[in-house]
Amino acid sequence: MASKLFLPGRIGSLSLANKFVMAPLTRSRADPMGVPGDITLDYYSQRAGAGMIIAEGTQPSFMGQGYCRTPGIHTDDQIAAWRRITDAVHSKGAKIFLQIMHAGRIAHHDNRQVPDDPVAPSAIAAKGEMYTDKAQGMVPMPTPRALETGEVPRVIDEFVAASENAVLKAGFDGVELHAANGYLLNQFLSTNSNARDDIYGGAGSGRIRAGVGT
């Protein structure tokens, strides 16, 4: 008898060809402007035997980029490139979600297309180093700029716009908001990266506000 993993399944309203789901894996294969190319198309097409794919962490804005060569979902070129990928995956019978990831303080200026400092809940640098193409090696992560209270809703709006771009324009079947592993939404949750004393900090009810609002 065949394993139940190979039988059709459901996630919410989605019917899947089988119960295999591919997790999001950062590839760093986009061009400098965050546009995924043919190699990304081939990568996801080759893995469309899974019932569903969750595509790699993708920034909702240039400000949300942390690593080199990660894709975005906020420009027309990025959206059009992702549309080619979702069409290819769907043609093979799989569903595909997009993981939307704002890196926050897990970032370096050399990996970004904007001169602004990385942003975070508080001006507390993350421990550790990050690879940049410019250095061709590892460099310390800089101290981020703390978001002003009035800026946080605008960051939340970036997630909303990115989700709409993904589903309504790029053809994804849904999105996953990355709120773990030390990235921006997780930074709001964690006391080692959130020392705020406004509505987005302090007690747990404040620290969850950005994530719940998103």
Side-chain angles (χ1 to χ4, degrees):
M1 181 177 176
S3 168
K4 292 182 179 179
L5 289 173
F6 292 93
L7 299 178
R10 293 187 68 83
I11 295 180
S13 62
L14 292 178
S15 298
L16 307 184
N18 56 63
K19 297 183 177 72
F20 289 94
V21 177
M22 177 179 154
L25 302 164
T26 295
R27 302 288 85 193
S28 290
R29 291 173 172 173
D31 72 13
M33 297 304 291
V35 179
D38 289 343
I39 191 171
T40 307
L41 173 64
D42 291 344
Y43 175 80
Y44 287 112
S45 296
Q46 291 165 357
R47 289 156 178 81
M52 187 171 83
I53 294 170
I54 305 175
E56 65 208 87
T58 298
Q59 56 259 12
S61 65
F62 284 124
M63 282 293 290
Q65 184 173 8
Y67 299 100
C68 57
R69 291 172 275 107
T70 50
I73 187 68
H74 54 93
T75 72
D76 290 343
D77 288 345
Q78 293 164 357
I79 293 166
W82 278 119
R83 185 77 206 204
R84 293 175 60 220
I85 294 166
T86 61
D87 285 348
V89 169
H90 288 148
S91 74
K92 295 189 175 183
K95 301 296 193 296
I96 183 167
F97 274 44
L98 183 66
Q99 185 186 72
I100 301 176
M101 180 183 87
H102 191 303
R105 69 177 186 166
I106 308 300
H108 195 278
H109 299 83
D110 291 344
N111 290 335
R112 294 151 57 86
Q113 302 306 312
V114 290
D116 311 64
D117 290 333
V119 295
S122 300
I124 302 171
K127 296 179 180 178
E129 297 179 319
M130 171 175 287
Y131 177 88
T132 74
D133 286 335
K134 182 177 180 179
Q136 288 292 294
M138 305 297 287
V139 295
M141 282 181 277
T143 299
R145 178 180 67 79
L147 285 162
E148 298 290 339
T149 301
E151 291 182 288
V152 179
R154 294 199 291 272
V155 175
I156 293 172
D157 287 345
E158 290 179 357
F159 277 95
V160 173
S163 299
E164 292 175 342
N165 288 340
V167 174
L168 301 180
K169 297 180 181 179
F172 284 94
D173 298 292
V175 299
E176 177 186 82
L177 303 184
H178 200 337
N181 303 111
Y183 300 116
L184 183 65
L185 296 179
N186 190 192
Q187 290 161 29
F188 275 98
L189 296 174
S190 300
T191 55
N192 68 350
S193 53
N194 184 346
R196 303 175 73 95
D197 58 6
D198 64 359
I199 61 172
Y200 296 104
S205 58
R207 298 198 310 276
I208 69 171
R209 190 182 300 272
V212 171
T214 305

